[in-house]
Amino acid sequence: MRMQQVIPIGMLIFGSSAMAGLVQPSAVEVTLFSGGGGRATGDMVAARYSKNSVEFLGCGVRNIYTVDGSAVRFGFCQAMTANSVNGLCSTEDPFLIDALASISDYSFITFTWNAEGFCTAIGNSTQSFHLPSK
């Protein structure tokens, strides 16, 4: 009889925590490589709502017509940690620009760059645990 009273309470506790969903913030991290270049990772929600005023993370694509009428398309990523370690890269590679264009508002972003500052890899993941908590 006592066991019947314990089970519903346990199910109630488990049920309420399961409905909240997993939240997995990922603060901005920038690793600088000794030979130049580096890697940055993090999610945009954690960067935006961090408790400091310097942390940020994001990427962008620019499509520009020049004065002579030619088209230029390039992309970039940038990140800064809470300790003001920053990373930045740019690219004109269509394959990498497609990856940049697929980043959404709540994405986890990772990018690497070489010693010249050119992006060498860009990745993103948009999953429910990167969304802001209620």
Side-chain angles (χ1 to χ4, degrees):
M1 184 84 161
R2 181 160 171 73
M3 185 65 140
Q4 289 176 341
Q5 293 174 347
V6 173
I7 291 173
I9 293 171
M11 290 175 69
L12 177 64
I13 292 170
F14 178 74
S16 64
S17 65
M19 289 178 22
L22 175 65
V23 178
Q24 186 176 349
S26 182
V28 176
E29 293 183 18
V30 175
T31 303
L32 301 176
F33 302 151
S34 61
R39 175 183 56 245
T41 62
D43 75 68
M44 293 196 305
V45 172
R48 175 63 180 97
Y49 296 108
S50 64
K51 296 187 186 316
N52 61 71
S53 61
V54 297
E55 193 171 346
F56 66 87
L57 173 72
C59 299
V61 175
R62 301 293 184 263
N63 299 298
I64 302 167
Y65 281 111
T66 63
V67 292
D68 66 0
S70 61
V72 176
R73 186 173 198 219
F74 70 95
F76 63 92
C77 288
Q78 55 189 356
M80 172 111 41
T81 68
N83 297 324
S84 298
V85 178
N86 68 329
L88 172 69
C89 70
S90 64
T91 185
E92 291 183 20
D93 181 286
F95 180 68
L96 294 177
I97 291 173
D98 286 346
L100 290 172
S102 71
I103 294 172
S104 71
D105 290 346
Y106 301 113
S107 289
F108 172 87
I109 299 171
T110 180
F111 64 94
T112 59
W113 64 94
N114 62 21
E116 291 77 34
F118 294 113
C119 302
T120 57
I122 296 167
N124 71 81
S125 177
T126 305
Q127 299 185 47
S128 63
F129 50 77
H130 294 303
L131 296 172
S133 58
K134 295 184 203 178

